[in-house]
Amino acid sequence: MTTTATEQGLTTVELTKTFGGVCAVDHASVEFRHGKINAVIGPNGSGKTTFFNCVTGMIRPDSGTVRYRGHDVTGRAPHRIAAAGIGRSFQLCRIFPRMTVRENVLAAVRPRGLASLLRSAHDPAEVERARGWLRRVGIDHLEDVEARDLSYGQQKLLELAGVLMAEPETIMLDEPAGGVNPALIDRIATLVRELNAEGRTFIVVEHNMELVMSLSDHVVVFDRGRPIAEGPPDTVRTDPAVLEAYLGV
């Protein structure tokens, strides 16, 4: 039986989440392009991060379905979503500030506690794998530095290295360019392109429109909790609904 593009990738059907009567995600049906760089854009409060949280198990949707590679993963715990092949970063970096850079990357795939982390810290293969991802993101020279002593941009790279340590097929990035200087934005964009060329799918929430339009293959626009447009960047940027909702014209 032939596997369809929908069965390969991540889709949502009528995904809905309300908070105190406010519908943050409103019957959102989205089919992301497997093997491509997808972007999710929209004005503040349009439901992008809540949508991410519903997909990755951080919060449970009220209704609707999340499917990944043909399987219903709706409401699964975050570690089970990660085990299915979906990794994610957060709008505000989630790192262990008093642990070293190397320890942070090792801890990223160790949900079973301190004892497991200590074992992995003495596993030469795991340590070298962690160092390999630190080299890949460009901060291997900082492996013995405590994470709290990194710049914010370097912390973003550290979080990405931790995501990659789990070897996800699909990577969801929540505002990777937020608060980052232009040089590091370029580095992150280059990494995303390289990793995509190696077969990883990306879904990126981002406010930096220049980055979105230059990086993405497919753009989904949210407004008031639901997708209002989608397509290639050149198509989306001229869509009247997008111009009204997102650009305010």
Side-chain angles (χ1 to χ4, degrees), residues 95-149:
I95 58 172
F96 299 102
R98 293 184 178 273
M99 290 171 59
T100 69
V101 165
R102 180 179 63 254
E103 289 168 343
N104 265 271
V105 178
L106 289 167
V109 290
R110 297 293 165 185
R112 296 188 180 90
L114 180 61
S116 179
L117 171 60
L118 291 173
R119 284 194 298 273
S120 69
H122 296 285
D123 181 334
E126 284 288 271
V127 171
E128 185 51 41
R129 199 162 69 85
R131 285 175 171 155
W133 284 119
L134 289 171
R135 281 193 294 272
R136 187 69 185 272
V137 303
I139 56 171
D140 53 306
H141 61 295
L142 300 170
E143 68 169 285
D144 292 317
V145 175
E146 288 189 354
R148 62 179 175 171
D149 293 327

Side-chain angles (χ1 to χ4, degrees), residues 3-85:
T3 301
T4 68
T6 299
E7 290 171 334
Q8 289 179 343
L10 176 65
T11 64
T12 67
V13 180
E14 297 287 310
L15 199 66
T16 302
K17 181 64 183 179
T18 59
F19 298 101
V22 176
C23 196
V25 179
D26 185 7
H27 298 86
S29 296
V30 184
E31 179 182 330
F32 293 105
R33 300 300 186 261
H34 185 65
K36 303 295 184 180
I37 301 173
N38 302 267
V40 179
I41 67 172
N44 288 329
S46 60
K48 304 181 298 297
T49 293
T50 302
F51 176 79
F52 258 39
N53 287 339
C54 287
V55 168
T56 57
M58 302 303 295
I59 57 177
R60 189 176 185 87
D62 298 327
S63 61
T65 305
V66 181
R67 296 187 65 82
Y68 185 62
R69 298 189 64 79
H71 300 286
D72 186 343
V73 298
T74 314
R76 288 189 184 180
H79 72 275
R80 293 187 63 199
I81 298 289

Side-chain angles (χ1 to χ4, degrees), residues 68 91 113 139 145 147 164 212 221 236:
Y68 185 62
Q91 189 172 343
I139 56 171
V145 175
L164 292 166
V212 166
V221 186
V236 166

